[in-house]
Amino acid sequence: MTWPLHIKLNKSNYPISVVQRTVYALARDLSIIIDGDEDSNHIVLNVQPTIIISDQNPNTLDSDKAREIVIRMLNDFILRERVGEETRGLREIIAHAALKEAGIRP
Amino acid sequence: MLRLDTQYTIRNSNHTEIYKVVTLQDLIHLGESTCAGEVSLNNILLWADDDLCRLKSKVNDLGIGGIISHDRNFTPPDYEKVLLENPRDPNVVSPGDVIGISPSSKVVRVLYRRGSNSNLLFMTDRCNSYCLMCSQPPKDINDEWHVDENLRLIDLIDTGEEQLGVSGGEPTLYRHGLLEIIKKCKSVVPEKHIHILSNGRLLSDRTWIGDLVEIAHDKITWGIPLYADNAQDHDYVVQAPGAFTETMQGIYNLALSKQSIEIRVVLSRLTAHRLPELAYFVFRNMPFIDHIAFMGIESMGLAKNNYDKLWIDPVDYQEKLSQACHYLDIRGISVSVYNLPLCLLNKSLFPFYRQSISDWKNIFVDSCQPCKAHDYCAGFFKSHSARWESRGIAPMNELDVQEYLGGKYEPN
Amino acid sequence: MSYLENIIASEYKYRLLPFRFIRLGTKKTNDVLITSETGEYLFTTEEKLNALINKKIPKGSWFYKALLARHFIYEPEGHNPIQEMAAQYKSRKSFLVGGPALHIFVVTLRCNHTCQYCQVSRAPVGGHTHDMSEYHARLAVDRMFESPSPALTVEFQGGEPLLSFERIKQIIEYISEKNAAEKRDIQYVISSTLHHINDEILTFSKVHGIQFSTSLDGPNFLHNTNRPTPEKNSYERTLHGIEAVRSELGHDNVSALTTLTSKSLLYPEEIIDEYVKIGFNSISLRPLSPYGFAKKSSQRLDYSVNEYLKFYKRALDHLIKINSEGTFIAESYTSLLLSSIMTPFSSGYVDLRSPLGAGLGALIYNYDGGVYPSDEARMLKEMGESDLMLGTLDQPLEQLLTSVQMEILLSSGIIEGLPGCTDCAYLPYCGADPVEHYARSGDPIGHRSFSDFCTRNMGLLTHLFTLLRDGERSTQRVLVSWLTRRSFNDISSYGCEI
């Protein structure tokens, strides 16, 4: 159980938008600071368990589990980013078609 | 099961014509209102019964189209009008029916049968799909003359609330004619419910919406086949790429035209495996439909050539059929199951069973002899043969019939 | 796949449609839930999720067809699904068309109860300073008819609205007068303790088809503890009121809801059994709101979201058991979540919509002439924060709905654009509640990771999806029976989710 946990990420694999969404999603249980590195290809995440709000007893959340959670969440947001890229604009098309049928002019 | 055509000895017929068969009594008492619309007496054939026989000498004076006689002894002397005699099958034509004849042919077609539940206006032999199980293989001919015949037929039929079908081939291929027919039905027989069978593909043209809304016939149901929840499977069954997309668009256009829609699913090896998925797709995407009909396959026409692709023993799809039917029923969509022998059905499906669409198609086989459910069972199509017969055919006993009639559904 | 198969697959690559996913957090392999823009869903594995996004799902496979049919993918050379997707989307958002349909008239603040969690700053029974005036009442009706909705629900609340029954009568009579020309479909509901019900009220209610909604927190000991009155007999009088309404207006013309305090959380089975005993066919197990006296006495009454979810799961188990034994009783919030998940239809519930229901779907006309987008906004004002009042009754509806307050709500009231929500798989089934977020955290947008509203809805939805995936046949049948409002015995196990 070694806190704070440091996770080094390659920027080209993990764009900043993915990292930010991950930090937001995990905010209840993990307090994460995003640090740039000297080497501009990397970001480092400084991870601590939250104390104030979390229902989790901080003693039961070990840093290995936390690392797993963070990596998994990062990878999930990468997937979401890929879906988003490929489907860009489609949500608007669907909503537009739906509202047009209803006689609502956008 | 009574056929729709037979042969007569026909005299004095020099052009294709349709006639209403009327008894003298009806002509006297009802006059022209023996027909629904406007009719000329030239389109009336009098039925040669005892009343008419008494007038034998005077028949030439009657300003009608002609006479139809099943009595060998009745031959009006020097009759100049149309005369039909010596029917091959005397059961086919009866008073009240509307028949069609052509010169140089002995064939008499029954276009409308009084009291039948399956009268239909036949629009065309042409079709823009080529379904693997098509019981009436399409012909590439110009037969638009059906439209005119149907328009005149509407005038000659009876009034009354029975259903009138419109079918083919693909009726929408004669768009203008179909719209005229719908308009005329509204005007002449507004009490009749019109059931149009169409693949819906040409209805993907949005201009149909304006035309249908303008006519505003509020008693039409469009029966549209849908065979899968995806284009690949549906298009394969109807042998037309793009058909699924067009049919879906047609369904939405009908909904926008405030038409009543029925989805029809022919049960075959190509459709059975995804029945529950099709039910789901219909509920999610077109919950506005009024009815869905699942139908046993007719082994006629192209179905015969495609036996290997199509044949599945109905006993083997009862589970999937049950899932599809109950799923839709409980979510508020009306469900029917047609054209299957009753003994093959999962008991939970009894409440959805309808005996038949057509009263002229059912027969029974030898195994059916001791069965107590004859009065309720759809039996088999006339075209039935051994290789299309389920291994599950077995006579039902009194208890089975009680269970069917009880209609009380017991879930497992 | 072989090299050749790979080439063929890449020739016929499908394209993705917008979809979202979440892990249900159980040990099962098909733990990933994917939801499409239409609100359709599938359970799948992590491997398949990756394969889906990497275009590796074999064309024509069962999963491929399911993805096509449920609008996760499409074939660029094949069927264009836009029309049916738009149709489903339009159906889900159909509440947008027509304007506010729920109109709540707060006719008085007077009440004979002193409920600890009261969301209302109540006033004593005597006196009329906290009653709605005739002038304001008429204005409120005028405002209501400015909404174009063909169906209107008029709900009377308080305090205890029956203490101001003359005003209710006057309002209904004025509505009937105007409706002769307007020809809307109007439903009336009175939310009442039923302690002040009498024959005159019942007779009038029968004529106008008024429905009643009351509070029943559970058995005697629980109800009377939560809802004290000077005579300490709230439970008995409530039951008496229920009986009176039933015998005059019909069994189903009165419904009930519970408000759960931390004490209530100890008694899920008892509360439900009480409802069954009294013969209700629906129960609403709603948690405390962070408003009114509840916020002030939060130490003793409040409980965490997780405690609520534990209670809910126990309660749901008990309800499912009772239903499968033949008694129909549905939990109302569960029923509307199920409706969102399993049908393409929108529910009538204003508090779980995107764009938000407050203001757009419902309006509150307060006794003092203020107009609010929701009851909660009104309570915030009672607590001294008036920011969300839309305006006053003498302003036309158009002005009220284009007010600055409404703009604030709209800019934080569309979850399709909110952080944390935009990626959430439950988005099609969830809604916006900027007023609750504002009340809890001072910010109408809120932070999803710290939002009780979010945690609660995610907890409920995760639980329901887990039941849909893993539940026994009898559980599935109960859920479908609630969805369709048919009895358990009418639901064939063949009719469950596909």
Side-chain angles (χ1 to χ4, degrees), chain A residues 21 23-29 50 53 55 72 75-77 79-80 82-83 86-87 90-91 93-95 97-99 101-102 104, chain C residues 15-21 23 37 46 49-50 53-55 82 85-86 89-90 97 306 419-420 423 446-451 455:
Chain A
R21 281 146 87 187
V23 170
Y24 183 96
L26 294 174
R28 191 177 190 93
D29 296 322
T50 57
I53 311 279
D55 291 320
R72 171 185 275 185
N75 289 334
D76 280 354
F77 274 109
L79 286 179
R80 291 184 178 111
R82 288 189 50 199
V83 175
E86 178 161 333
T87 61
L90 288 184
R91 287 209 166 110
I93 291 176
I94 295 163
L99 294 181
E101 289 279 316
I104 298 171
Chain C
R15 298 238 183 102
L16 300 179
L17 286 168
F19 72 90
R20 302 172 171 95
F21 67 89
R23 295 163 192 280
E37 200 66 9
E46 174 146 9
L49 174 66
N50 278 283
I53 296 175
N54 288 313
K55 313 296 178 67
I82 184 69
M85 290 183 76
Y89 199 88
K90 175 183 162 197
V97 180
N306 286 330
D423 293 317
H447 190 306
R448 229 54 60 216
S449 290
F450 302 105
S451 160
T455 310

Side-chain angles (χ1 to χ4, degrees), chain B residues 334-349:
Chain B
S334 163
V335 176
S336 299
V337 176
Y338 288 103
N339 297 345
L340 281 178
L342 187 55
C343 54
L344 301 181
L345 220 60
N346 249 11
K347 294 201 169 152
S348 77
L349 293 175

Side-chain angles (χ1 to χ4, degrees), chain B residues 206 229-233 244-245 248-249 252-253 256 273-274 276-277 279-281 283-285 287 319-320 322-324 326-327 329-331 346 348 409 411-412, chain C residues 39-41 59-60 62 65-66 68-71 79-80 83-84 87-88 92 341-345 477 480 483-484 486 489-498:
Chain B
R206 289 186 74 100
D229 61 342
N230 66 85
Q232 179 187 344
D233 291 344
F244 179 79
T245 301
M248 289 286 293
Q249 273 185 299
Y252 282 113
N253 286 343
L256 287 168
H273 61 305
R274 280 188 82 78
E277 285 72 22
Y280 168 95
F281 186 81
F283 175 68
R284 288 276 186 164
N285 294 290
E319 283 296 294
K320 300 251 178 186
S322 298
Q323 261 192 294
H326 286 291
Y327 176 88
D329 172 61
I330 205 69
R331 287 159 180 76
N346 249 11
S348 77
Y409 163 68
N412 19 328
Chain C
E40 297 175 271
Y41 67 92
K59 182 177 160 78
W62 196 265
K65 290 182 185 176
L68 266 180
R70 297 185 189 217
H71 305 109
H79 173 67
N80 184 340
Q83 186 155 30
E84 74 251 21
Q88 284 204 45
R92 231 170 240 286
I341 293 170
M342 289 159 65
T343 79
F345 309 127
R477 284 171 65 192
V480 173
L483 177 75
T484 58
R486 304 267 282 262
N489 289 322
D490 282 348
I491 312 290
S492 160
S493 61
Y494 284 123
C496 295
E497 267 300 86
I498 289 169

Side-chain angles (χ1 to χ4, degrees), chain C residues 216-237:
Chain C
L216 183 68
D217 280 8
N220 196 319
F221 72 90
L222 196 51
H223 182 101
N224 283 341
T225 305
N226 282 354
R227 304 175 63 83
T229 57
E231 299 87 15
K232 299 192 184 354
N233 62 353
S234 174
Y235 173 85
E236 290 77 8
R237 281 184 75 177

